[in-house]
Amino acid sequence: MTPVAIGYILSATGSFNGALLYVGLHGLLAVLCYWVIVGPIERLVIREGSGLIRSASVAAE
């Protein structure tokens, strides 16, 4: 979709300024959507005994 939109913007204006604005605004929109949907990014702390990490015993053949 982006190459087609940039083609239309370029043919209508004759300049890449609108195309750069289009790409920049879509980048900001992507960051905003990620921030709203995913929320804050936090470090995952894995404690021993929490059951998240298990060692599986494998029989030797």
Side-chain angles (χ1 to χ4, degrees):
M1 180 70 187
T2 299
V4 174
I6 289 175
Y8 281 122
I9 293 169
L10 185 60
S11 67
T13 63
S15 173
F16 277 102
N17 291 337
L20 290 173
L21 182 64
Y22 174 82
V23 171
L25 288 176
H26 274 90
L28 290 175
L29 181 65
V31 168
L32 178 67
C33 288
Y34 187 85
W35 182 56
V36 169
I37 293 170
V38 175
I41 299 172
E42 299 175 0
R43 182 179 291 260
L44 178 64
V45 177
I46 300 175
R47 296 185 187 105
E48 282 189 46
S50 66
L52 293 176
I53 301 175
R54 296 182 185 170
S55 60
S57 58
V58 178
E61 293 182 24

